[in-house]
Amino acid sequence: MANETDINRIKELTEILNHASRVYYQEGREIMPNIDYDRYYDELLELEAKTGFRLANSPSQNVGYEIISELPKERHEKPMLSLDKTKSPDELISWLNGKRGVLSWKLDGITCVVTYENGSLVKAVTRGNGEIGEVVTPNARYFDNLPGSIAFKGKLIIRGEAVISYSDFDKINDEIEDTAARYKNPRNLCSGSVRQLDPTVTAGRHVKLIIFTLVSAEGTAEHPEVPDFNNSFSAQYDWLQEQGFEVVEHIYTDASTLKADIESYKAKIPDYDIPSDGLVLAYEDIAYGESLGRTAKFPRNSIAFKWQDETAETSLRYIDWSASRTGLINPVAVFDPVELEGTTVSRASVHNVSIVEELELGEGDRITVYKANMIIPQISDNLTRSGKINIPSTCPVCGGKTEVRRDSNAALLYCLNDKCPAKQLKSFELMVSRNALNIDGLSAKTLEKLIGEGFIHEYADLFELGRYRDQIAELEGFGTKSADNFIQAADKASNTDLYRLIYGLGIPGVGLAGAKLITAHFNNDLGRIMDADHEELKSIDGVGPVLADNFTAFFSDAENRRITLDLAARLKFNEVQAANEEQVFKGKIFVITGDLKHFNNRREAQDLIERLGGKATGSVSAKTSYLINNDILSSSSKNKMAKQYGIPIISEDEFISMLPEEVRNV
């Protein structure tokens, strides 16, 4: 009989698990280790079986993410169930029950049901919550490998996993200049790509659909012929491949070879380009598998195999509290190095204060660690549980006060200082950007880590990373090479132009062109620039009263002046000769488009225009003087706009002919 304690625990576990699932599927965040989720889930199943009590929204009865987009919805003809799982090869052998099986990858993407009629793709629906999915047919037509038409003219329904390969994921991220806008992982990018409201976005994402199940193949009045699969699961795969579909990589197996087959898949993981989180074993005998029926949540004709996590015992050295841009301070366990899955690890995220407390962590405790999905180091247990870790009352980055807040069932630690450097990530991103100091390799993610670890407090610290070389090298995902690259990039960037520093300070309204105007006016004298008054700034052609207000307000702040001078002390500014060149472009506005053949890039040509008194902008307007385009007859929007305004379109050679002779001959 159910008791109140068990029922309350069921309610608590349901809330914890549902919250973790929502955060994972909808926001791409993990708020607890996989091992804890599995432990809570197994406990919930036990209590539900024991008491007979189950909430309507129990995760034991619901699968997949809740639909939150504006895409059309459609109910599946048959519920799309998740798979039961195991980490034990012996359990898989027992599950086979002497039968032959088909072993394949368990892909980590977005499951879709695709329908063909009369040889044509007519519908694609996501798995959704298992009962209702989202209609993504227009997007599916842009999947890289999905046929638009096939030879089979009956009605075909198949299921597959929409995925983006690791290599395509890296290419897409590399093309995004704003590092803060880069995607977290292939699964999140794939989810957003498949569920786009604009199919043209999907087209550029290289989504592939890899088929793992043939749901049905039916004849029609016009085309009554249906394939004969001879009750063979693998024959279905062969036939689907003949139709032009990409089928999940698979092999035939039985009790005598299963363990070796699992090991062969495991060996492929480092080089496998498609995201996966385990294997799937299905019965080769279709009729036998279907005869077993299903549970409320799982079909009985297939089962998932999750990799058995390799664990190691070690000693906890301390908890490193790492601040983030949101103010959240994340606990990271630092322990004696151990070998896991072929690599040495010495750090693991503990996620939040609740887990620190639940594990009763203390310096010197004996802990066991593992790699979730063979990738992410995490703590599985604390063997000694001294509970000696104190939650910090001050931020490790700025020293400001901290506060523990409750988010559902998780206790989270936050820094309360709005001026904490960890919260000023955008300002550091600007300072290291290409048009500012141009420190190569310091992405938003890297900056956030280095700031959170306390290695960077202000701009000057970007050039003092050598002091922390060994600590940086020990950070997860970095290493000695990364640490040396950061230091070398900063050293290279320390030779720069003063206008780049002024631009990088992020003074409201002061763009690159404004920074150049101001530094040139004051002959690159930082002292004069910082002491500039409102009236003198306004006297500079191109500097208005608002910009002048912002500029003087910035340098009237003593802390801003100190930070600027500290940074300048670590830099060597390039000498700038007095401008004695003829200002032939004074009052002229240029726009540059298309490929260049004489200049290395547009920035080089724009710098020359500005040096000679002109301005270079990115878009054509009625005020534009010239559009530079080597393809004068192009039908581009900029050419059309220039013709509409009667603006001369000149080639690069014509532009060069306009330069003073002394400049043209350099």
Side-chain angles (χ1 to χ4, degrees):
M1 178 178 293
N3 60 53
E4 186 177 354
T5 301
D6 287 342
I7 289 176
N8 287 338
R9 182 57 175 165
I10 288 173
K11 291 178 179 179
E12 181 184 19
L13 290 169
T14 299
E15 184 179 352
I16 291 171
L17 293 167
N18 283 342
H19 177 65
S21 293
R22 280 194 300 272
V23 170
Y24 177 77
Y25 284 110
Q26 295 177 9
E27 301 175 25
R29 294 191 294 118
E30 289 186 5
I31 60 173
M32 67 173 65
N34 292 348
I35 196 167
D36 284 351
Y37 185 94
D38 290 343
R39 178 163 55 83
Y40 288 145
Y41 184 81
D42 291 342
E43 183 185 352
L44 177 64
L45 292 183
E46 246 181 70
L47 287 172
E48 288 180 342
K50 171 186 173 184
T51 63
F53 176 81
R54 179 185 297 118
L55 291 170
N57 67 339
S58 171
S60 68
Q61 301 300 301
N62 298 293
V63 295
Y65 58 84
E66 291 298 320
I67 299 169
I68 57 173
S69 79
E70 299 176 15
L71 292 167
K73 313 297 190 297
E74 182 171 302
R75 184 172 293 277
H76 296 299
E77 291 183 14
K78 297 179 180 179
M80 294 187 65
L81 306 178
S82 60
L83 297 180
D84 199 1
K85 63 183 183 295
T86 181
K87 292 184 177 182
S88 167
D90 289 328
E91 284 187 25
L92 284 187
I93 291 173
S94 175
W95 181 89
L96 269 178
N97 195 26
K99 302 290 184 180
R100 200 173 186 211
V102 178
L103 191 65
S104 62
W105 291 108
K106 184 176 182 294
L107 303 177
D108 189 18
I110 305 299
T111 302
C112 294
V113 185
V114 181
T115 302
Y116 286 78
E117 292 180 0
N118 197 30
S120 297
L121 170 63
V122 296
K123 186 166 58 179
V125 183
T126 67
R127 173 183 178 177
N129 65 5
E131 297 285 342
I132 300 172
E134 298 162 309
V135 180
V136 292
T137 312
N139 299 336
R141 299 186 192 281
Y142 288 95
F143 290 175
D144 277 5
N145 65 337
L146 190 63
S149 59
I150 58 175
F152 180 64
K153 300 304 178 185
K155 182 177 181 180
L156 174 67
I157 302 177
I158 53 179
R159 290 177 184 166
E161 197 80 354
V163 294
I164 292 177
S165 68
Y166 287 114
S167 54
D168 283 328
F169 172 75
D170 290 339
K171 289 176 185 176
I172 292 169
N173 259 352
D174 287 344
E175 292 172 359
I176 301 174
E177 291 190 7
D178 181 2
T179 52
R182 291 180 177 176
Y183 300 99
K184 183 178 179 181
N185 56 53
R187 189 191 186 282
N188 286 0
L189 175 59
C190 186
S191 176
S193 302
V194 171
R195 301 162 66 200
Q196 273 290 325
L197 297 178
D198 180 3
T200 60
V201 176
T202 309
R205 299 284 178 78
H206 302 292
V207 179
K208 294 182 179 180
L209 190 72
I210 300 180
I211 309 303
F212 58 77
T213 298
L214 189 157
V215 178
S216 63
E218 303 172 357
T220 63
E222 296 82 5
H223 302 284
E225 306 86 7
V226 294
D228 182 3
F229 300 117
N230 296 315
N231 196 39
S232 166
F233 191 85
S234 56
Q236 289 183 341
Y237 276 170
D238 293 341
W239 180 79
L240 288 171
Q241 286 178 312
E242 291 171 4
Q243 297 297 311
F245 295 104
E246 183 172 350
V247 172
V248 64
E249 181 183 334
H250 59 281
I251 57 174
Y252 313 117
T253 189
D254 57 30
S256 65
T257 64
L258 183 56
K259 289 186 177 180
D261 292 335
I262 290 172
E263 288 302 313
S264 71
Y265 272 100
K266 186 175 180 179
K268 295 178 183 179
I269 291 175
D271 300 316
Y272 192 55
D273 201 28
I274 304 298
S276 67
D277 54 3
L279 302 173
V280 174
L281 180 62
Y283 291 113
E284 165 70 354
D285 186 328
I286 297 174
Y288 176 77
E290 291 179 348
S291 71
L292 299 176
R294 46 168 279 191
T295 68
K297 187 177 180 182
F298 305 124
R300 289 195 172 102
N301 63 348
S302 53
I303 187 172
F305 174 79
K306 294 186 71 175
W307 302 112
Q308 183 69 48
D309 299 315
E310 180 185 342
T311 61
E313 185 177 327
T314 183
S315 291
L316 178 67
R317 292 180 177 175
Y318 57 91
I319 293 292
D320 187 8
W321 297 90
S322 177
S324 70
R325 72 180 81 180
T326 63
L328 180 64
I329 302 175
N330 301 296
V332 178
V334 181
F335 45 81
D336 291 339
V338 290
E339 290 289 324
L340 283 177
E341 311 291 354
T343 63
T344 301
V345 295
S346 59
R347 302 170 67 88
S349 172
V350 193
H351 298 285
N352 55 51
V353 171
S354 293
I355 296 175
V356 173
E357 295 174 338
E358 184 179 329
L359 288 170
E360 300 176 272
L361 295 173
E363 294 180 8
D365 279 349
R366 294 297 291 173
I367 59 174
T368 55
V369 294
Y370 72 107
K371 278 189 175 182
N373 290 327
M374 304 177 70
I375 299 173
I376 305 169
Q378 294 185 355
I379 296 177
S380 57
D381 198 7
N382 182 7
L383 305 179
T384 48
R385 295 182 174 267
S386 69
K388 295 178 181 178
I389 294 295
N390 293 317
I391 308 304
S393 58
T394 58
C395 173
V397 173
C398 70
K401 291 183 178 180
T402 62
E403 176 182 86
V404 176
R405 300 175 186 168
R406 292 278 166 182
D407 176 10
S408 185
N409 287 281
L412 308 172
L413 185 67
Y414 284 90
C415 171
L416 302 181
N417 178 15
D418 289 335
K419 291 189 176 182
C420 177
K423 297 182 182 180
Q424 308 302 319
L425 180 64
K426 284 290 183 185
S427 64
F428 284 95
E429 282 187 78
L430 175 63
M431 185 58 79
V432 305
S433 67
R434 183 174 56 187
N435 288 333
L437 297 186
N438 192 23
I439 306 180
D440 189 41
L442 289 184
S443 66
K445 184 177 180 181
T446 298
L447 281 169
E448 184 172 11
K449 188 68 175 175
L450 297 178
I451 293 169
E453 294 292 335
F455 303 150
I456 298 174
H457 296 268
E458 56 187 59
Y459 297 135
D461 296 330
L462 294 165
F463 299 90
E464 301 291 343
L465 293 177
R467 293 185 297 174
Y468 305 104
R469 177 184 178 277
D470 292 342
Q471 293 98 311
I472 294 172
E474 289 182 359
L475 295 178
E476 192 70 32
F478 284 70
T480 302
K481 184 176 180 181
S482 294
D484 288 340
N485 286 343
F486 300 150
I487 296 166
Q488 291 166 10
D491 182 61
K492 180 180 178 182
S494 65
N495 290 285
T496 189
D497 299 298
L498 180 58
Y499 73 82
R500 293 181 179 275
L501 180 152
I502 298 299
Y503 166 72
L505 292 171
I507 303 170
V510 181
L512 196 61
K516 288 180 179 179
L517 290 172
I518 293 170
T519 52
H521 177 83
F522 291 102
N523 294 321
N524 287 277
D525 185 326
L526 181 58
R528 290 180 59 199
I529 290 170
M530 293 170 62
D531 293 336
D533 62 34
H534 187 272
E535 292 305 315
E536 186 169 10
L537 285 166
K538 279 201 311 180
S539 71
I540 302 171
D541 185 24
V543 176
V546 174
L547 190 156
D549 283 342
N550 293 337
F551 201 86
T552 54
F554 182 88
F555 283 115
S556 67
D557 184 299
E559 184 66 3
N560 287 341
R561 294 174 70 91
R562 182 193 65 76
I563 289 172
T564 302
L565 289 172
D566 282 353
L567 172 59
R570 273 111 174 137
L571 303 175
K572 180 181 179 182
F573 296 113
N574 299 323
E575 292 185 11
V576 179
Q577 296 179 349
N580 54 10
E581 295 168 328
E582 184 182 355
Q583 301 291 283
V584 294
F585 294 148
K586 187 173 183 179
K588 304 294 184 184
I589 299 175
F590 290 81
V591 174
I592 306 171
T593 190
D595 295 329
L596 298 176
K597 56 185 179 181
H598 296 297
F599 294 91
N600 292 322
N601 49 54
R602 291 182 193 175
R603 171 53 56 194
E604 189 176 52
Q606 290 168 347
D607 286 344
L608 178 58
I609 290 168
E610 292 171 359
R611 200 176 90 200
L612 298 176
K615 293 182 180 179
T617 63
S619 58
V620 175
S621 71
K623 295 182 179 180
T624 303
S625 306
Y626 297 96
L627 172 64
I628 302 173
N629 188 351
N630 283 323
D631 186 359
I632 295 176
L633 300 179
S634 167
S635 59
S636 69
S637 60
K638 288 182 179 177
N639 271 30
K640 290 178 180 177
M641 189 68 71
K643 290 175 183 177
Q644 178 181 331
Y645 287 122
I647 296 165
I649 303 173
I650 62 174
S651 68
E652 195 178 352
D653 289 329
E654 289 174 300
F655 167 72
I656 291 173
S657 70
M658 298 167 65
L659 300 173
E661 185 175 352
E662 64 272 17
V663 175
R664 195 164 58 243
N665 293 334
V666 172

